[in-house]
Amino acid sequence: MKCPQCESPDIRKNGRPNGQQRYQCKACGKQFLSPTSEPTSTQRLPTALGDAVQFESNGHSQPAPALSTPEPSPPSAPGIAILLLDAENLKLDITTERFLASLCASPLQVKIAFANWRNSSLGKLDVELHERGYQLVHVAEGKNSADAKMIAVGSSLFLQYPNVKEVFVCSSDGLLNHLCTQLQNLGLTVYRARTKNKTLTVENRRSGELKHYSLTVGAEIPSFEEFVKQVEELIQAEHNSLTERIAQFSAISALFQERRNLTLSASRSNDSPALAPEATSLAPAPEEEPAPPALESADVELNVSAPAPPLPTMTINSKEELERAIVEIIEFLQLDNPLEEVSVATLSAELRQLCGETGNSIVKRLKLGGNLTKFLKSCTGLTLDPHSTPHTVSVAASPSFEISTRSELEQALVTIARALSAESAGNSISLSNLAWEFQKEYGQPLIKTMKQLHLGSQLPSFLQSCSAFKVQKKSKGYQVALA
């Protein structure tokens, strides 16, 4: 017996699918069935009725022999996935191939590429695919020659690979729809991969689900919902970065202003002898009184608005002392106007006058974080407003009662939303304003309260599940209205 493809006599047996002897050529790897073998099912029926018929046809009248206990069948092999590639129509690099492998449940073990490999336009594609483990099938030159060969090989995949479960058909030619339909009829999950405008679209023919992959960027194109979520994360990260830079700039600005006042006072003090006569002429002293010192005369004339800061009056050695000092500073600054907001830069300048060092220096010395802004965020007794520019800080209001159930949380949000709606012109309010008002009133973030009540961390989803709210996605964020 010889191989029907290369006529080599060097062949070996390779199993008996459906009762027929299968052979494999050692030279070219071709697998084929014996032309003289017959299925064993036609030689002997595997039932007692078949045995009885056979005995009767031989002229015997004895009863059929008892059936022997069938041997247990070996465990079935795990399923695999196969990729069929029209290399003349579609190019797959290694990253795109990994993306396809991530879509199927079975491991991608067999990859077959079809093309006229003598075509010079393919370059060294055959060498690249061979190194990546592809089986290369050569087809003759002609229109749709590769498609026809893919249909012929793909429709009989289950004979050579009986454990195949999923198949990728990678080509944009419509002729291969027939192959997809045939494979679906065999119970396989078929993925149809096409390219258009530098985008690879993969369709699960069973579920209808579509996946998109950018060939230029080399990454999966997310859905609209995933895209919005990624944009929100980027905006939040940029906002946090800008917030930190603004806080640093405010601190530097306060230090520069203090240094400028110190330099100006020292400069004017050095020039006081020349300015003393002019000061005397503006405010002459009585003859019986001695002339004031030159430094005092210069100070009266210049009227320096921001004198040099006094010597430090206290030393902060712990987190509790720093937080207590901040609370006292805020309360002192709000004596005349309780509603006036205190900026982080003003708070840092007050700490410098009180302790002789800025808030950032104190935080770094006590190893409480990177800067004063981050420390204020971690303080439960203080509230930092991230929406103001520059950031402002206030003493956190103690909650009126503890929220322990979902209904209590929903009722609290309804109360806050009703108050905000009355103040705004329209009926809806922004989701960020609702969360910020909740934090000011109850002393902790709304997301933290939801996590404590095991309600998840997605605020829009939670509000949509509440019958008292209507949530709508706008270009500038989510808008919430009472139902």
Side-chain angles (χ1 to χ4, degrees):
M1 183 182 299
K2 296 182 179 181
C3 173
Q5 180 167 296
C6 64
E7 298 185 353
S8 172
D10 191 7
I11 60 176
R12 65 181 181 87
K13 294 182 179 181
N14 191 23
R16 296 180 63 89
N18 298 328
Q20 291 181 297
Q21 181 62 52
R22 181 171 61 190
Y23 298 89
Q24 184 178 22
C25 178
K26 296 182 179 180
C28 66
K30 173 69 177 180
Q31 300 191 38
F32 57 93
L33 301 176
S34 172
T36 58
S37 62
E38 297 180 359
T40 55
S41 58
T42 59
Q43 298 175 1
R44 178 178 177 86
L45 298 178
T47 61
L49 180 59
D51 289 338
V53 172
Q54 184 177 12
F55 276 103
E56 188 67 24
S57 62
N58 292 334
H60 297 281
S61 58
Q62 355 5 5
L67 291 175
S68 60
T69 303
E71 298 181 358
S73 59
S76 58
I80 65 171
I82 297 178
L83 188 148
L84 304 178
L85 172 63
D86 183 358
E88 297 179 348
N89 179 268
L90 195 150
K91 302 296 186 295
L92 294 180
D93 56 18
I94 185 64
T95 56
T96 309
E97 181 184 315
R98 290 172 181 170
F99 166 72
L100 295 178
S102 66
L103 300 181
C104 56
S106 304
L108 182 58
Q109 293 188 356
V110 180
K111 297 175 288 187
I112 308 174
F114 303 82
N116 181 0
W117 302 111
R118 296 178 181 175
N119 191 339
S120 59
S121 63
L122 296 178
K124 296 183 179 181
L125 182 60
D126 55 341
V127 178
E128 177 187 348
L129 294 179
H130 177 71
E131 292 177 351
R132 286 162 49 188
Y134 279 79
Q135 300 179 27
L136 304 181
V137 177
H138 176 72
V139 299
E141 184 178 359
K143 184 179 181 181
N144 298 329
S145 181
D147 296 340
K149 190 65 175 179
M150 279 184 66
I151 295 175
V153 173
S155 59
S156 58
L157 283 176
F158 66 95
L159 296 177
Q160 188 172 357
Y161 305 99
N163 58 332
V164 59
K165 301 297 181 182
E166 300 170 272
V167 180
F168 288 92
V169 179
C170 302
S171 176
S172 300
D173 293 336
L175 187 63
L176 292 173
N177 289 333
H178 301 288
L179 173 60
C180 296
T181 304
Q182 175 64 19
L183 295 176
Q184 282 183 271
N185 293 336
L186 295 175
L188 305 180
T189 301
V190 181
Y191 301 90
R192 183 66 189 277
R194 301 183 179 90
T195 57
K196 184 178 180 181
N197 298 331
K198 301 297 182 180
T199 300
L200 177 70
T201 302
V202 184
E203 177 190 7
N204 187 328
R205 303 266 299 190
R206 172 173 295 181
S207 64
E209 182 182 5
L210 294 176
K211 294 288 185 180
H212 303 279
Y213 183 88
S214 174
L215 298 176
T216 56
V217 180
E220 181 181 0
I221 301 175
S223 62
F224 179 76
E225 293 75 11
E226 295 173 346
F227 172 75
V228 171
K229 183 178 180 181
Q230 293 178 8
V231 170
E232 289 178 348
E233 292 176 353
L234 291 175
I235 293 176
Q236 184 62 36
E238 187 66 21
H239 176 74
N240 295 337
S241 177
L242 290 175
T243 299
E244 183 176 353
R245 294 179 183 274
I246 290 174
Q248 293 176 357
F249 176 78
S250 300
I252 294 174
S253 177
L255 293 175
F256 174 78
Q257 185 66 27
E258 294 175 10
R259 175 60 62 186
R260 176 178 177 275
N261 293 333
L262 289 173
T263 305
L264 183 60
S265 299
S267 176
R268 290 172 177 174
S269 298
N270 293 333
D271 295 339
S272 58
L275 296 175
E278 183 180 355
T280 305
S281 61
L282 292 177
E287 294 181 358
E288 65 275 6
E289 294 182 4
L295 181 59
E296 296 179 2
S297 175
D299 289 340
V300 171
E301 180 188 2
L302 294 174
N303 190 19
V304 179
S305 59
L311 295 176
T313 59
M314 66 177 298
T315 303
I316 297 177
N317 297 318
S318 65
K319 175 183 177 181
E320 293 74 15
E321 292 180 359
L322 176 58
E323 187 171 352
R324 191 182 309 113
I326 292 175
V327 172
E328 292 177 356
I329 291 174
I330 294 174
E331 292 177 348
F332 174 77
L333 294 176
Q334 292 180 338
L335 286 177
D336 296 333
N337 187 1
L339 298 179
E340 183 179 357
E341 297 178 339
V342 179
S343 65
V344 177
T346 302
L347 181 61
S348 180
E350 293 293 332
L351 284 172
R352 180 181 178 83
Q353 293 185 2
L354 182 64
C355 308
E357 55 181 334
T358 62
N360 289 338
S361 301
I362 298 174
V363 170
K364 292 180 180 179
R365 177 171 59 82
L366 299 178
K367 299 180 180 181
L368 301 177
N371 52 46
L372 181 59
T373 303
K374 293 183 178 179
F375 171 74
L376 294 174
K377 290 181 180 179
S378 64
C379 295
T380 57
L382 300 171
T383 301
L384 183 70
D385 186 359
H387 302 287
S388 60
T389 305
H391 288 347
T392 59
V393 62
S394 60
V395 179
S398 54
S400 57
F401 65 95
E402 182 179 358
I403 297 177
S404 58
T405 63
R406 174 191 175 99
S407 59
E408 291 179 356
L409 176 60
E410 184 175 351
Q411 182 60 37
L413 293 176
V414 169
T415 304
I416 296 175
R418 185 177 292 111
L420 292 177
S421 300
E423 296 176 359
S424 62
N427 294 328
S428 61
I429 57 175
S430 66
L431 187 61
S432 59
N433 288 343
L434 179 64
W436 172 241
E437 290 297 329
F438 179 89
Q439 181 174 345
K440 289 199 300 184
E441 183 171 347
Y442 292 96
Q444 72 174 3
L446 178 54
I447 299 299
K448 182 177 180 179
T449 305
M450 292 171 54
K451 290 182 179 180
Q452 291 175 351
L453 299 179
H454 305 288
L455 300 177
S457 59
Q458 299 296 328
L459 182 55
S461 302
F462 169 71
L463 293 178
Q464 287 174 350
S465 65
C466 299
S467 59
F469 294 101
K470 292 181 179 179
V471 182
Q472 188 175 6
K473 177 66 175 178
K474 298 290 186 179
S475 58
K476 297 183 179 180
Y478 288 95
Q479 294 290 322
V480 181
L482 294 173

